[in-house]
Amino acid sequence: MPTAFLSNPSYKDIEPMGGFFGTISVKDCVNDVFYGTDYNSHLGTKRAGMVLYDKERGFSRSIHSLERDYFRSKFEDELEHFSGNSGIGVISDTDPQPIIINSHLGRYSVATVAKITNIRQISEEMMSQRIHFSEMSANNINQTELVALLINKGNNFIEGINNVYRTIEGSCSMLILTEDGIIAARDLLGRTPIVIGRKEGALAAASESAAFPNLDYQVVRDVAPGEIVRLRADGMEVLQGPYDHEQICSFLWVYYGFPASDYEGINAEAVRERNGAMMGREDDTEADLVCGIPDSGVGMALGYAEGHGIPYKRAVLKYTPTWPRSFTPGNQSRRNLVAKMKLIPNKAVLDGQRVVFCDDSIVRGTQLRDNVRTFFEYGAKEVHARISCPPLVYGCPFIGFTSSKSDLELITRRVIKDFEGHEDVKLKEYATTGSPEYRRMVEEIGRRLGLTTLKFNTIETLIKSIGLPKCKVCTHCFDGSSYCHAPK
């Protein structure tokens, strides 16, 4: 076991992290792979792929871009060309995948949910050893191929996966489709989840437990951090036991996770409602109604309404017929326009009211400022924002957290720079709830966004609503506290 780890598409510029689904069955499993993968679509907007394994035909694969279309519309017409009793699919926000590899370990396909921050260093070292890359994407190294090449350095899959854990900085969970079952390996510190499901004659592994119910799978358990398991149609084999540390991403419950999904047995929507209820009970702001910014702010707003004792009303609605989810154009002005087009304020609800609106987070704040302006234009007397997590003071080095190219794109860092002359000054003080620096920063963010008042939830409330010990939850983006390296 290695001892060291080297270091909902939305209008608010939070990037999805990707998700996957794999199953092995005594029967043909094409439909399960197709629909199971589709249930991870909220986790990515760029690429998607499916690989099926048939004992007679071998591996068959298809990969498509999702930047202008949806998973189902891209793959549905191809299903008749697939066959097999095992397969994996992935929604990726990084590279085209899954990839198919022929190596001394046999022929296999691999899909990852990963962010590898030292990819350039690793690739340069490999090329100096005359190990070369073929799966280039927009002239960049395909990080899933990088993972496969690291796996190939092992004498077996267990050694190879541990080589990935030892070598990369960031995080990596993976599914490996082999000729002898599916191997599921969760990130060494468990930052991204894998959950196992079972039905008669089949086992499945997925990023989201919400992929299981409509396909008749029952949740068996989560794969533990650093654990490696092999799925066959007749059962699951543990190839490597769990690592003894965990840093699961708190943003799964705040934003990423589908409301019906459970992580570590803890439901995303239940956490959001508890989080909102605790904040509502502590808030003495007088208001007439509360609304949630769709989709991930709704659960918090329902809890806040209960905790604060004011009605929940749909003062802003998401237009789903043609904007069911956000695509992410590269042009920032177009991203802002997409964001504006999909959310429609309801003047009949807003007019003359003191409104509290709940949202999951504030990244740049650009679209939020526009929403606040619109609320006032539609007659709101007061607009109060309540955010379900603390301010995002630190960029995330572990998963594909935001589309930001620089920490200065965070509104917190821009405010800190304006106050201190540099964006990296006194970050601990600004991240500490209730400190003079924190209060000054929050007041300034509220002023820049045009809000009557602004309040962020505390880390303590968020952790309590999740229900895990803080040492098992990654809160790096809020307080910089999570370790980059697994403790020895």
Side-chain angles (χ1 to χ4, degrees):
M1 183 67 209
T3 58
F5 181 66
L6 306 177
S7 354
N8 298 326
S10 170
Y11 70 92
K12 63 172 63 61
D13 301 305
I14 294 178
E15 289 287 340
M17 61 184 183
F20 49 45
F21 181 94
T23 187
I24 184 166
S25 173
V26 296
K27 303 176 182 178
D28 185 273
C29 68
V30 174
N31 285 338
D32 279 11
V33 174
F34 172 66
Y35 289 109
T37 303
D38 185 50
Y39 275 125
N40 290 269
S41 289
H42 61 290
L43 293 172
T45 63
K46 293 182 180 177
R47 300 285 186 273
M50 288 173 51
V51 175
L52 273 291
Y53 174 70
D54 184 287
K55 289 184 179 179
E56 301 297 325
R57 298 175 58 191
F59 292 85
S60 55
R61 179 184 71 168
S62 181
I63 295 175
H64 289 290
S65 169
L66 300 182
E67 292 183 282
R68 294 294 181 269
D69 217 330
Y70 302 101
F71 177 83
R72 288 196 308 277
S73 64
K74 287 289 191 178
F75 288 85
E76 198 160 22
D77 292 340
E78 300 177 344
L79 293 185
E80 63 184 42
H81 303 296
F82 284 101
S83 64
N85 288 38
S86 61
I88 60 176
V90 62
I91 306 291
S92 173
D93 240 39
T94 53
D95 303 307
Q97 53 165 317
I99 62 170
I100 297 175
I101 297 292
N102 195 21
S103 77
H104 70 285
L105 299 176
R107 204 164 189 225
Y108 67 91
S109 178
V110 58
T112 65
V113 173
K115 179 178 180 179
I116 302 174
T117 59
N118 60 336
I119 188 167
R120 178 176 295 181
Q121 174 189 340
I122 298 171
S123 61
E124 288 175 352
E125 290 175 358
M126 285 185 164
M127 286 187 282
S128 71
Q129 300 165 8
R130 298 188 178 183
I131 300 172
H132 301 294
F133 298 82
S134 59
E135 296 278 347
M136 300 296 288
S137 176
N139 294 317
N140 293 318
I141 296 293
N142 183 314
Q143 67 175 9
T144 302
E145 183 184 20
L146 180 81
V147 168
L149 294 175
L150 291 171
I151 291 172
N152 290 343
K153 287 190 170 187
N155 293 316
N156 52 54
F157 282 110
I158 301 173
E159 284 187 11
I161 293 167
N162 284 321
N163 187 45
V164 175
Y165 291 157
R166 285 191 300 270
T167 305
I168 70 163
E169 297 177 7
S171 68
C172 181
S173 294
M174 67 188 85
L175 295 181
I176 303 173
L177 176 64
T178 76
E179 296 173 323
D180 184 28
I182 296 173
I183 296 172
R186 187 173 172 188
D187 172 64
L188 185 61
L189 287 170
R191 296 192 189 278
T192 51
I194 303 178
V195 61
I196 303 299
R198 182 196 303 274
K199 67 179 177 181
E200 185 176 354
L203 279 170
S207 299
E208 293 280 86
S209 64
F212 290 156
N214 288 342
L215 295 173
D216 297 326
Y217 291 90
Q218 301 293 321
V219 172
V220 176
R221 67 174 179 87
D222 292 270
V223 177
E227 187 178 24
I228 305 171
V229 301
R230 188 198 311 270
L231 307 182
R232 298 187 178 96
D234 59 355
M236 180 174 72
E237 175 188 7
V238 176
L239 302 180
Q240 175 171 284
Y243 190 51
D244 56 358
H245 294 276
E246 182 173 9
Q247 287 283 276
I248 185 169
C249 176
S250 58
F251 234 66
L252 284 162
W253 291 283
V254 171
Y255 171 77
Y256 287 127
F258 192 75
S261 281
D262 297 345
Y263 313 103
E264 312 300 318
I266 301 167
N267 179 256
E269 185 74 353
V271 169
R272 291 166 191 170
E273 290 191 13
R274 284 196 296 270
N275 204 24
M278 284 188 275
M279 193 175 196
R281 284 193 292 269
E282 296 169 358
D283 195 356
D284 58 2
T285 302
E286 294 185 4
D288 301 307
L289 63 96
V290 59
C291 71
I293 301 296
D295 288 312
S296 49
V298 172
M300 182 203 175
L302 289 168
Y304 183 96
E306 178 185 353
H308 199 51
I310 57 176
Y312 174 86
K313 295 189 179 182
R314 295 201 293 171
V316 60
L317 301 103
K318 183 178 179 181
Y319 190 75
T320 58
T322 55
W323 300 98
R325 73 174 210 211
S326 297
F327 296 106
T328 53
N331 180 283
Q332 184 59 43
S333 63
R334 194 171 297 121
R335 291 171 71 100
N336 294 339
L337 180 60
V338 166
K340 181 177 181 181
M341 296 300 292
K342 65 178 287 191
L343 294 179
I344 302 176
N346 190 342
K347 182 177 176 61
V349 175
L350 290 166
D351 195 17
Q353 301 298 296
R354 299 169 298 175
V355 180
V356 174
F357 73 85
C358 295
D359 206 355
D360 50 76
S361 60
I362 300 176
V363 183
R364 288 183 176 92
T366 306
Q367 187 57 40
L368 189 56
R369 183 184 64 233
D370 293 343
N371 288 339
V372 173
R373 184 186 303 118
T374 301
F375 281 12
F376 279 118
E377 289 172 352
Y378 276 61
K381 291 197 304 185
E382 297 176 2
V383 179
H384 307 270
R386 299 296 178 261
I387 308 301
S388 64
C389 67
L392 302 172
V393 175
Y394 298 83
C396 179
F398 308 120
I399 62 175
F401 181 76
T402 77
S403 59
S404 299
K405 304 297 188 296
S406 161
D407 286 347
L408 260 181
E409 295 188 38
L410 299 172
I411 192 171
T412 53
R413 290 298 190 95
R414 297 199 303 273
V415 169
I416 291 170
K417 183 178 181 182
D418 290 344
F419 286 165
E420 304 292 344
H422 197 281
E423 70 271 18
D424 291 330
V425 175
K426 299 173 67 174
L427 296 186
K428 182 177 181 181
E429 289 82 352
Y430 280 101
T432 301
T433 304
S435 70
E437 292 84 359
Y438 174 93
R439 291 196 300 269
R440 186 185 180 203
M441 177 183 68
V442 171
E443 182 179 348
E444 176 62 14
I445 293 172
R447 186 193 68 78
R448 293 187 185 189
L449 299 181
L451 290 160
T452 307
T453 65
L454 169 64
K455 291 184 181 180
F456 291 87
N457 228 336
T458 66
I459 288 181
E460 293 76 16
T461 298
L462 176 60
I463 292 298
K464 186 176 181 181
S465 68
I466 292 171
L468 290 173
K470 186 177 185 301
C471 62
K472 292 189 174 185
V473 180
C474 183
T475 59
H476 181 89
C477 52
F478 310 131
D479 61 3
S481 67
S482 299
Y483 38 81
C484 300
H485 303 265
K488 296 183 178 180

